[in-house]
Amino acid sequence: MSEADPTLPSAPSASLRAAVAVLQVPKNMSQKTALYARLEQLPRRQRGLLRVAAALLCAVCMVLGSPDYNQWYLGFVGWVFWLAAIEGLAPKKAFWLGWMCGIFTVFFGFYWLTELLIRFADFPTWATLLVHLVFAAFQGLQWAVPAAALNWLRKRTGRDVLLLAPLVWVAGEAVLPHIFPSYLALMWCWQPLWLQVAEIGGVTTVGLVQLLINAGLYAALRDWLLQRTINRRALAVAGATLVGTPLYGAIRMAQIDAMIAESPKLKVGVVQGNFGITEWGNPRMKFQILRREQQESARLEAEGAEVLLWGETAYPFSYALPRGDGFDLPQANPRRVRRDFTIPLVFGVVTADRKVSEFAWNTARVLEADGRLGDNYDKVYPLWFGEYTPLVDPHWFKEMVPSASHINPGPGPKALRVHTGPEGQHEWRLGPLICYEDILPRFARGVAAEGIHAFVNLTNDSWFGKSKEQDQHMGLAVLRTIENRRALLRSVNAGISVYVDPAGRLLQRIDSTNPDEDGPLSAAGFVADVPMIDPDYRTLYTRTGELFNALVILGLCGIGLRGRRRP
């Protein structure tokens, strides 16, 4: 051109020179320098903002991948951003950045906790948000501790994320304490093809698969973008996991279908009472609640149900029935459990024995066809600060939070025997899980080890209104069916009630309701044809329990003790 173009600068600007410098890396640079040189040439604040943005993108993927949003495919890429955020940082800095990611994930993923505290505990908004933030900070350690451990091990051993990231994440899920378990296999809860590996080592095995894919994709992308090199090992690991996991799932689901076809079947009627906390607490409404459940039970029996299942405390008259052996109340008593139906019933009720304790038990009871009260099971894991008050005097806490309660924990897992057929010649062993016990994998494994045909879960999620909690609770419970290869029947007072088969497929469902806001609703229900799996059948996880997690932790310790590998 004869004249300078006024739209272009006559000389490179400082920002343009910086950008060019970032893009140019000398060929003789070492591998480590080549990997980080471009980022290191950016201003410190910009580097920090990029890391924060990556951590927040990871949190967004975690929240959107939860069952209510159901963007499950984000489980393939969500940790790529987490790994990018902490790449090259000292362990302490990686901890803080990972913690920020975890706090955001838990705060927005568990936002129903704030709704619960405002609605039933009468906390002011500022106190509720403070409690929620403390909860998020505690649960967020699940992202922080593995981040620090990963970078410490990388610095000590010289190994890359491809091996270490999956192992540290599994170790974190296995050993870090939870108030509400938040295993990230939850992201795939509606994708049974990807969940079948849970029978090998439990829910954390799914986390291993997710991190193998994410770490492989991250390492491949990082090396291509920063060095223009193809990381064949990373691509091989990600590709093999992406192909092998669903292939294993398809084979195992076909085998489980064959086992289901050969198993005897029991038709179970699941009743969803559709009543809320306020309605249940109103003495005048209790008779209506019971009557609606009885009517729905009669309808399900007419459809062929052989056994009925009601939810947690679905029998609304606390202390009306004996804790030990006994019978249903007389026909003339309006509190009688069985009316208009004749088949056995498993139901939830609050029981008490003042000679033993001033506090009650949250109990699942069997009402046999002849009117006899059979086996009972007491909830082993009461919900902290809702049903059980640790560390402080429960009387004081109940005065501070009137909606809270304090119940006695049960002695341990147990099978409930239910008898069907003429003179009750068929005995079925059902594994009871009350409330959130169905999201505790180790406890559910203990129940399966009692020699059961199927799981039954009695739950009351009405405390949470109609929120994300119901989907998250149910999504986590799905894993119990695959870990132990037992069907799961959930009767939840206001939903979500479901039948999930031993392959983890959700086959029947009644959505959640909010009777406290929408007014009294009729009970709903369904009849499920449930395979009664051989009580002696055991999966690898049922047999070995925490062996998989122990091997992962021992492997990490061995890698750390060995130190830096030779070039």
Side-chain angles (χ1 to χ4, degrees):
M1 289 187 299
S2 58
E3 296 182 0
D5 189 337
T7 62
L8 294 175
S10 57
S13 65
S15 59
L16 182 58
R17 288 196 301 271
V20 171
V22 168
L23 293 173
Q24 292 177 340
V25 178
K27 294 182 179 180
N28 60 352
M29 257 187 191
S30 68
Q31 182 182 13
K32 181 177 179 181
T33 305
L35 287 173
Y36 307 122
R38 294 176 177 85
L39 290 176
E40 291 298 326
Q41 291 181 34
L42 288 173
R44 183 176 181 181
R45 177 174 294 183
Q46 291 185 24
R47 296 200 306 270
L49 289 175
L50 285 173
R51 293 185 184 276
V52 169
L56 293 179
L57 279 173
C58 174
V60 170
C61 289
M62 301 298 105
V63 174
L64 293 181
S66 61
D68 45 325
Y69 293 112
N70 198 26
Q71 305 301 308
W72 68 278
Y73 55 87
L74 293 175
F76 295 113
V77 297
W79 286 276
V80 169
F81 301 109
W82 180 72
L83 291 167
I86 64 174
E87 176 72 71
L89 290 178
K92 184 176 180 180
K93 291 182 178 180
F95 175 91
W96 291 112
L97 204 58
W99 202 15
M100 183 192 72
C101 175
I103 289 172
F104 272 82
T105 299
V106 176
F107 189 88
F108 291 101
F110 287 78
Y111 196 73
W112 47 263
L113 181 62
T114 290
E115 299 169 359
L116 169 70
L117 294 173
I118 292 176
R119 184 177 180 187
F120 289 107
D122 294 326
F123 280 19
T125 302
W126 68 268
T128 298
L129 293 174
L130 179 61
V131 171
H132 192 171
L133 185 60
V134 171
F135 166 76
F138 178 76
Q139 296 267 120
L141 293 173
Q142 187 173 331
W143 284 258
V145 174
L150 172 61
N151 282 21
W152 181 83
L153 284 167
R154 290 187 67 187
K155 182 178 180 181
R156 176 174 173 81
T157 68
R159 297 181 182 272
D160 200 9
V161 297
L162 196 59
L163 170 69
L164 296 177
L167 297 181
V168 297
W169 187 269
V170 169
E173 285 197 334
V175 302
L176 292 174
H178 304 93
I179 297 176
F180 292 108
S182 53
Y183 301 103
L184 292 182
L186 176 66
M187 299 177 74
W188 289 354
C189 65
W190 310 140
Q191 309 300 322
L193 199 64
W194 292 88
L195 295 178
Q196 301 304 307
V197 294
E199 68 176 354
I200 299 172
V203 63
T204 55
T205 318
V206 182
L208 179 77
V209 167
Q210 292 171 319
L211 263 295
L212 282 171
I213 295 169
N214 278 264
L217 292 177
Y218 170 73
L221 284 170
R222 176 201 61 193
D223 290 358
W224 174 253
L225 291 174
L226 296 181
Q227 291 184 282
R228 289 298 188 265
T229 60
I230 298 175
N231 190 329
R232 291 181 175 83
R233 179 180 296 180
L235 290 173
V237 168
T241 309
L242 282 167
V243 173
T245 303
L247 179 61
Y248 176 86
I251 294 171
R252 286 299 291 146
M253 290 178 75
Q255 294 171 341
I256 297 303
D257 283 342
M259 183 171 67
I260 290 173
E262 295 173 357
S263 300
K265 307 299 189 297
L266 179 67
K267 293 186 180 296
V268 180
V270 175
V271 176
Q272 180 170 302
N274 284 332
F275 57 88
I277 296 298
T278 303
E279 189 177 5
W280 189 92
N282 186 338
R284 293 178 296 178
M285 299 297 295
K286 289 180 179 289
F287 293 99
Q288 297 182 31
I289 292 172
L290 178 60
R291 188 62 190 140
R292 295 197 299 262
E293 291 175 317
Q294 292 167 341
Q295 291 171 340
E296 182 62 16
S297 297
R299 186 186 72 81
L300 296 179
E301 182 178 11
E303 287 189 7
E306 301 170 272
V307 173
L308 293 165
L309 177 65
W310 293 2
E312 180 184 10
T313 66
Y315 178 70
F317 298 104
S318 302
Y319 321 128
L321 300 172
R323 274 187 56 77
D325 295 337
F327 289 86
D328 194 2
L329 300 174
Q331 281 282 357
N333 193 320
R335 299 185 179 188
R336 178 180 172 85
V337 180
R338 174 179 284 119
R339 200 175 300 279
D340 297 336
F341 65 93
T342 63
I343 55 179
L345 167 69
V346 179
F347 65 103
V349 59
V350 177
T351 61
D353 185 347
R354 300 303 181 189
K355 295 180 181 179
V356 177
S357 173
E358 65 175 300
F359 299 111
W361 287 264
N362 188 343
T363 304
R365 294 231 63 172
V366 175
L367 178 63
E368 297 284 11
D370 60 3
R372 177 176 54 88
L373 289 169
D375 286 350
N376 62 12
Y377 161 77
D378 297 318
K379 185 177 182 180
V380 176
Y381 286 96
L383 184 63
W384 278 21
F385 302 109
E387 297 175 313
Y388 183 76
T389 311
L391 305 178
V392 299
D393 179 22
H395 301 92
W396 171 83
F397 187 78
K398 288 174 67 177
E399 289 180 4
M400 297 294 294
V401 185
S403 58
S405 62
H406 185 86
I407 63 173
N408 295 308
K414 180 180 180 180
L416 293 177
R417 296 168 299 172
V418 181
H419 298 86
T420 62
E423 299 182 1
Q425 76 268 32
H426 298 301
E427 179 177 288
W428 310 105
R429 296 173 62 84
L430 302 179
L433 302 164
I434 296 181
C435 193
Y436 84 130
E437 288 177 338
D438 64 348
I439 65 175
L440 305 177
R442 295 163 194 169
F443 180 72
R445 171 182 169 266
V447 175
E450 292 292 311
I452 62 170
H453 292 95
F455 286 118
V456 290
N457 175 234
L458 296 73
T459 291
N460 180 22
D461 277 345
S462 303
W463 293 99
F464 308 100
K466 190 174 181 180
S467 65
K468 300 177 185 296
E469 188 276 340
Q470 284 86 0
D471 285 287
Q472 292 177 8
H473 186 170
M474 181 180 60
L476 285 167
V478 167
L479 273 295
R480 309 293 84 77
T481 65
I482 299 170
E483 290 167 349
N484 303 284
R485 296 304 181 188
R486 299 297 191 276
L488 170 66
L489 297 141
R490 300 184 77 231
S491 175
V492 187
N493 291 344
I496 304 169
S497 299
V498 299
Y499 162 49
V500 184
D501 78 357
R505 290 173 294 220
L506 195 157
L507 299 182
Q508 290 175 276
R509 166 177 174 148
I510 307 173
D511 286 331
S512 60
T513 60
N514 192 358
D516 286 334
E517 293 186 4
D518 300 334
L521 300 171
S522 299
F526 60 80
V527 177
D529 199 23
V530 183
M532 297 287 102
I533 302 299
D534 182 355
D536 294 326
Y537 178 82
R538 301 286 190 273
T539 64
L540 183 61
Y541 174 69
T542 311
R543 292 178 182 276
T544 62
E546 297 305 301
L547 178 62
F548 172 78
N549 292 329
L551 291 175
V552 168
I553 294 169
L554 288 174
L556 278 175
C557 292
I559 292 171
L561 290 173
R562 185 179 178 183
R564 183 168 293 276
R565 63 177 181 175
R566 295 180 179 179

